[in-house]
Amino acid sequence: MADDTHELLRRMREGDRASLEALLERYRPRLTERVRLMLGDDARRWAETADFVQTVMVDVMRDAKHVQVQDGRGFLRWLSHVARNNVRDLARRRRLESVSSFSRWVCESSPWRAASDQEQLDRVLESIEELSPEHRRVLELRYFAALPFADVAVLMKRSAEATKQLHRRALLRLGRCLRAGDAT
């Protein structure tokens, strides 16, 4: 698959639209998950994740020839970068309070920290994708939606104590994923 991705990226840079479309379809599920996290629960009430992903893909198709990514990981980072910029622009245009804390943090990030912050955010998002759906959900509700444990417990149909335990396990697992990424 890595060789296939490398070849698709090479052909994409040469202007082959079919290669770009194949890459976009391959990475659409992961991009969709990242956009969902960036928007948060409140923002998804007014912005459909699928519509937002489609806008990102249109932007990507316009600029694909100019991007020099070498592998699938780089391609996904580029997609995430375009998505973050779109979320930030939308939040600024609407001055929305409902954009997730993640997106507010992206909007408020100092320019001199931008490159390293984006890399760290990509690492966190990649690691979150490795978690089980329950672990992803508890972290999303606690940090991206900024909900108290009592509300998270109700939404997850668990007791408050069980939710706190799940949260602790999710953080431990996320930490292991991040450390494993540092080793590579």
Side-chain angles (χ1 to χ4, degrees):
M1 178 121 142
D3 292 338
D4 177 45
T5 299
H6 181 73
E7 179 62 20
L8 288 171
L9 286 166
R10 185 189 64 73
R11 291 190 342 230
M12 174 197 79
R13 287 189 298 272
E14 293 173 354
D16 181 30
R17 188 174 176 98
S19 295
L20 174 59
E21 289 173 1
L23 285 164
L24 289 173
E25 283 309 308
R26 180 177 292 171
Y27 289 94
R28 180 186 298 265
R30 292 178 72 187
L31 176 63
T32 299
E33 179 66 18
R34 289 183 179 195
V35 166
R36 195 174 67 74
L37 290 172
M38 287 179 205
L39 289 174
D41 284 341
D42 290 339
R44 285 196 309 269
R45 291 183 189 140
W46 50 262
E48 290 290 327
T49 300
D51 292 342
F52 203 86
V53 168
Q54 192 62 35
T55 301
V56 169
M57 293 198 167
V58 168
D59 291 347
V60 164
M61 291 181 108
R62 182 189 62 230
D63 298 330
K65 284 177 147 179
H66 307 291
V67 173
Q68 296 299 315
V69 296
Q70 301 302 318
D71 57 17
R73 184 176 237 167
F75 186 73
L76 184 58
R77 282 191 179 127
W78 176 49
L79 292 175
S80 299
H81 176 75
V82 172
R84 269 195 305 277
N85 286 341
N86 287 355
V87 168
R88 180 179 47 227
D89 292 347
L90 182 62
R92 284 180 180 160
R93 275 196 313 271
R94 295 192 178 198
R95 296 172 194 225
L96 295 169
E97 290 300 316
S98 61
V99 175
S100 74
S101 57
F102 172 85
S103 297
R104 280 195 303 276
W105 185 77
V106 169
C107 293
E108 296 163 2
S109 182
S110 302
W112 62 271
R113 289 183 9 204
S116 106
D117 287 348
Q118 287 179 8
E119 188 174 312
Q120 290 173 4
L121 290 172
D122 286 335
R123 286 185 55 235
V124 170
L125 288 171
E126 287 170 6
S127 295
I128 287 173
E129 288 176 5
E130 294 178 27
L131 301 178
S132 71
E134 276 192 323
H135 285 168
R136 280 195 310 266
R137 186 71 176 145
V138 74
L139 293 177
E140 175 186 335
L141 292 171
R142 267 303 278 159
Y143 298 112
F144 298 121
L147 294 177
F149 275 113
D151 293 348
V152 175
V154 169
L155 289 170
M156 295 193 73
K157 297 179 176 138
R158 294 173 167 261
S159 70
E161 188 55 38
T163 302
K164 288 178 184 178
Q165 289 175 3
L166 178 66
H167 177 258
R168 281 191 292 272
R169 288 191 305 269
L171 287 176
L172 288 170
R173 179 71 181 124
L174 179 60
R176 283 193 297 273
C177 291
L178 287 167
R179 283 189 298 281
D182 286 343
T184 57

